[in-house]
Amino acid sequence: PGDKAPQIKTAKEMLSYLGVYIGEIDDVYDENMRLAVMTFQSIKDELFPYGILDKTTQLSLYSTMCELKEEVDDQLQAALDAL
């Protein structure tokens, strides 16, 4: 807690999208962030829930977001609109 980095802001945005982070989205690792990380870790069976955003947790968060990513195809949408 107390660390500052652009990666923390990105992680807060991802955790907020997943519904486990509630608070200000900035680059500070605060208590809300620690609790959100712990919640995310407890949801994932392969992670130990201790509230530290370690490399394993970062990779799991990234892969979770990739699984949820919706692909936007602007060309397809333009073609469908034209029809």
Side-chain angles (χ1 to χ4, degrees):
D3 286 349
K4 285 181 80 171
Q7 295 84 355
I8 294 171
K9 182 178 180 181
T10 303
K12 281 184 175 183
E13 290 170 342
M14 289 189 275
L15 290 167
S16 177
Y17 182 80
L18 294 173
V20 295
Y21 178 77
I22 299 170
E24 184 178 352
I25 298 192
D26 56 15
D27 62 351
V28 178
Y29 200 96
D30 54 16
E31 183 63 16
N32 287 339
M33 178 64 168
R34 187 186 72 75
L35 293 173
V37 170
M38 190 179 303
T39 301
F40 176 77
Q41 290 168 330
S42 66
I43 293 168
K44 297 293 186 173
D45 291 333
E46 72 274 6
L47 300 175
F48 179 75
Y50 69 116
I52 302 296
L53 191 60
D54 59 20
K55 194 61 139 177
T56 305
T57 302
Q58 291 175 38
L59 291 172
S60 180
L61 181 57
Y62 178 75
S63 89
T64 300
M65 292 302 294
C66 287
E67 291 169 6
L68 297 175
K69 180 182 173 188
E70 291 182 9
E71 187 171 322
V72 177
D73 188 340
D74 292 332
Q75 289 179 335
L76 175 61
Q77 188 58 48
L80 291 172
D81 291 342
L83 291 174

